[in-house]
């Protein structure tokens, strides 16, 4: 519940919370499988967000979405993942 989003950078997978950043040995696809029943959604090739922590959504260039997290950080959702986000919203 405290995880804002999960990101992969330079072959490392990191969990971001309001209080810090934590590295995990699990791959992003493994975390995606484990978190599927919860409120997490894949937003790009390298990121998964906790949808419960999304404060706002705004359209961006090229069909992308800008997700502002409860911490104020912005995560960009690539256009190929936008339909999954819209489905999560019931649109």
């Amino acid at each position: 519940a405290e995880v804002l989003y999960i990101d992969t950078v330079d072959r490392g997978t990191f969990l971001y919370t309001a209080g810090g950043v934590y590295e995990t040995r699990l791959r992003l696809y493994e975390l995606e499988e484990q978190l599927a029943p919860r409120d997490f959604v894949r937003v790009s090739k390298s990121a998964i967000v906790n949808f419960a922590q999304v404060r706002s959504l705004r359209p961006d260039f090229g069909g992308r979405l800008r997700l502002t997290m409860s911490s104020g950080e912005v995560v960009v959702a690539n256009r190929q993942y936008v339909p999954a986000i819209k489905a999560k919203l019931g649109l």
Side-chain angles (χ1 to χ4, degrees):
E2 295 179 29
V3 175
L4 299 170
Y5 64 97
I6 305 164
D7 197 6
T8 300
V9 179
D10 295 331
R11 296 187 182 194
T13 304
F14 301 91
L15 293 97
Y16 295 83
T17 68
V21 179
Y22 304 94
E23 187 170 8
T24 179
R25 290 186 173 165
L26 295 173
R27 302 262 186 214
L28 200 61
Y29 74 89
E30 293 170 323
L31 289 167
E32 183 179 21
E33 289 172 3
Q34 290 180 12
L35 297 171
R38 294 188 172 89
D39 213 13
F40 285 80
V41 64
R42 185 81 171 245
V43 297
S44 71
K45 187 177 176 181
S46 64
I48 300 171
V49 299
N50 182 349
F51 215 68
Q53 296 287 344
V54 175
R55 186 171 51 193
S56 68
L57 298 163
R58 291 180 44 190
D60 201 13
F61 295 109
R64 296 179 295 183
L65 284 176
R66 294 178 65 86
L67 289 75
T68 303
M69 307 307 292
S70 61
S71 65
E73 292 184 68
V74 174
V75 178
V76 177
N78 291 344
R79 69 176 179 219
Q80 70 190 63
Y81 296 95
V82 169
I85 297 167
K86 287 182 177 181
K88 190 83 167 164
L89 289 170
L91 300 175

